[in-house]
């Protein structure tokens, strides 16, 4: 939806209580409303590997919706590994 990530809950795509890790490949921002739907209805979500945080939502009837992030998660590298002159 249009809720900025800064105002969202951070959801563990695989629940922490079920062994999900607290890492980027298992986290995603959900507004309070979508977070409630995700945890209290038969909608299911999963983060799609290799798509920069895209989330695949599956409705109770099995219809699937791919939600891609507006921006990719930044990747931080040591300046030594890229040869930057600082
Ligand atoms: Zn939402």
């Amino acid at each position: 939806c249009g809720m900025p990530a800064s105002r969202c809950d951070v959801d563990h795509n695989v629940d922490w209580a079920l062994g999900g890790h607290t890492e980027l490949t298992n986290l995603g921002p959900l507004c309070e409303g979508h977070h409630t739907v995700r945890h209290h209805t038969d909608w299911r979500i999963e983060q799609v590997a290799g798509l920069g945080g895209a989330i695949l939502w599956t409705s109770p009837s099995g219809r699937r919706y791919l939600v891609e992030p507006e921006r990719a998660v930044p990747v931080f590298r040591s300046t030594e590994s890229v040869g930057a002159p600082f």
Side-chain angles (χ1 to χ4, degrees):
C1 66
M3 184 68 71
S6 61
R7 295 180 57 198
C8 288
D9 300 331
V10 177
D11 177 67
H12 283 83
N13 302 150
V14 175
D15 290 350
W16 183 84
L18 299 176
H21 295 278
T22 302
E23 59 189 16
L24 283 176
T25 57
N26 191 44
L27 297 172
L30 294 178
C31 72
E32 185 177 348
H34 279 108
H35 206 187
T36 299
V37 166
R38 178 259 190 284
H39 282 289
H40 299 286
T41 70
D42 289 332
W43 281 82
R44 296 290 170 252
I45 68 170
E46 62 184 277
Q47 191 168 147
V48 182
L51 291 184
I55 301 291
L56 183 65
W57 285 78
T58 304
S59 76
S61 67
R63 190 163 185 168
R64 301 187 330 158
Y65 303 86
L66 182 65
V67 180
E68 297 181 72
E70 291 182 23
R71 290 182 278 179
V73 174
V75 177
F76 296 92
R77 296 187 183 93
S78 164
T79 56
E80 295 163 12
S81 68
V82 294
F86 340 104

